[in-house]
Amino acid sequence: MSLFKTFTRFSFFLLILLTASKTVVFADGGFPVRPGRLLIAPSASYFFSNTQWDSTGVKKSFPNSGKYTSVGITLYAEYGISRRFAAIVSLPYVYNTYTQNIAPRTTVTSGLTDLETGLRYYLFNIDFVYYFSLQGTAITPTYSNNPNLGYGEEGGELKLAFSGTGSLFGKSTYFNASDGVRQYFGNNGPIQNRYTGTFGITLDDEFKNQISVSLSGINSFSDDKKFISGIPETNRNYSFIQASLSYGYSFTRELALYATGGEFLTGRNTSDGTIFSLALIYRLDYR
């Protein structure tokens, strides 16, 4: 496998992870969804990278002055089935471009990636302030024979989440924390631990403006640890931590817009990059 193909296979899958992780601010956690409420969240993201961390965590430039950019579009939806259950679905589309100073100078790949469908169960709450949930998710590739869009393997994830509200300096606050274990069912896994923590605060009494900070990461483990020049052939054994800052504005109770910027803090066998995203949140009640 060529170095360039190795890199693109790794980078395209990394973008899938980033596209999924940016929805944490408004969608991830244990807060219940009202029965009969449908939350629709289309989002768009832009990712840029020209450096990477090797297997020892040392940062270096991509070979041949390489640069990677990607635009991702994700449709996320969540529906409250009952007081205890909610259904979740997420589907990303990516358009990726890699440029370097040798042939091929520009390579473009695009397509739908992995469909995620899940069921969330609200375990219990404490005084209707703190909420706990358990979610099971199925991962289904929407492509075939295209390693540039992901593993091409089915998988499953089980995730626990804890959410709550409070106050700080007279302003309303909230937090979400989640930790999930994901297993892909193909050869050499991988098995992954995915974690996220978010803290947000409202800036006015009308609850129209809010800011939040998030810290998220993935630890991926596999018996397949092969890599070339610090770039893994199949991106099955890696880790990273990412920090994000978001601003949200609520136009109405049903409509809100979130802008997010994220930066990698550390990593191993993964890219260093910056991501920007916009997400529109629309709520519809059917009961």
Side-chain angles (χ1 to χ4, degrees):
M1 182 181 294
S2 69
L3 177 62
F4 176 72
K5 288 182 178 179
T6 296
F7 166 71
T8 52
R9 187 173 186 175
F10 151 73
S11 296
F12 295 161
F13 180 70
L14 171 65
L15 180 66
I16 297 170
L17 302 179
L18 290 171
T19 304
S21 68
K22 67 180 167 44
T23 63
V24 163
V25 171
F26 57 85
D28 201 15
F31 287 116
V33 178
R34 179 183 302 173
R37 169 167 288 181
L38 175 64
L39 184 150
I40 301 174
S43 61
S45 65
Y46 173 82
F47 176 72
F48 170 82
S49 179
N50 60 6
T51 56
Q52 61 183 351
W53 281 285
D54 64 14
S55 62
T56 63
V58 176
K59 190 187 297 186
K60 59 181 67 175
S61 298
F62 287 133
N64 305 314
S65 301
K67 295 181 180 179
Y68 175 69
T69 60
S70 184
V71 175
I73 299 174
T74 300
L75 180 61
Y76 175 92
E78 185 173 342
Y79 179 74
I81 301 172
S82 67
R83 290 187 176 183
R84 290 285 189 179
F85 288 96
I88 294 108
V89 62
S90 177
L91 181 61
Y93 173 90
V94 294
Y95 184 91
N96 311 290
T97 304
Y98 183 73
T99 60
Q100 58 182 1
N101 57 15
I102 62 173
R105 293 184 177 273
T106 302
T107 300
V108 176
T109 300
S110 62
L112 295 172
T113 61
D114 290 335
L115 171 68
E116 297 190 10
T117 54
L119 189 65
R120 182 179 298 164
Y121 177 70
Y122 300 103
L123 297 168
F124 61 92
N125 70 81
I126 301 176
D127 296 328
F128 298 98
V129 176
Y130 304 108
Y131 297 87
F132 298 83
S133 69
L134 178 66
Q135 180 177 322
T137 303
I139 298 98
T140 306
T142 61
Y143 50 93
S144 61
N145 300 321
N146 192 342
N148 291 334
L149 294 175
Y151 295 142
E153 299 171 352
E154 295 183 348
E157 183 183 69
L158 195 63
K159 179 172 63 178
L160 283 169
F162 172 46
S163 302
T165 58
S167 62
L168 181 67
F169 305 123
K171 302 296 184 181
S172 296
T173 63
Y174 69 92
F175 69 86
N176 292 323
S178 67
D179 187 87
V181 176
R182 176 173 295 199
Q183 174 72 67
Y184 288 88
F185 303 137
N187 294 331
N188 296 316
I191 185 170
Q192 300 173 344
N193 176 243
R194 298 170 169 234
Y195 56 89
T196 298
T198 299
F199 177 81
I201 184 170
T202 59
L203 303 179
D204 52 38
D205 295 335
E206 291 78 23
F207 298 95
K208 286 186 174 294
N209 299 274
Q210 64 173 270
I211 57 173
S212 62
V213 292
S214 298
L215 191 69
S216 61
I218 296 176
N219 293 312
S220 184
F221 305 96
S222 173
D223 291 335
D224 186 355
K225 297 178 172 61
K226 293 181 293 184
F227 64 94
I228 300 176
S229 299
I231 301 174
E233 288 186 330
T234 55
N235 193 35
R236 294 176 185 269
N237 194 280
Y238 67 94
S239 64
F240 70 82
I241 298 175
Q242 178 190 10
S244 302
L245 176 66
S246 295
Y247 167 75
Y249 180 79
S250 297
F251 299 96
T252 65
R253 288 175 177 249
E254 295 78 24
L255 185 64
L257 180 68
Y258 286 83
T260 302
E263 187 75 23
F264 277 25
L265 302 180
T266 184
R268 176 182 57 82
N269 281 349
T270 191
S271 287
D272 173 38
T274 302
I275 186 169
F276 301 96
S277 65
L278 287 174
L280 187 67
I281 317 301
Y282 188 54
R283 300 174 178 88
L284 295 169
D285 288 316
Y286 291 96
R287 296 183 189 175

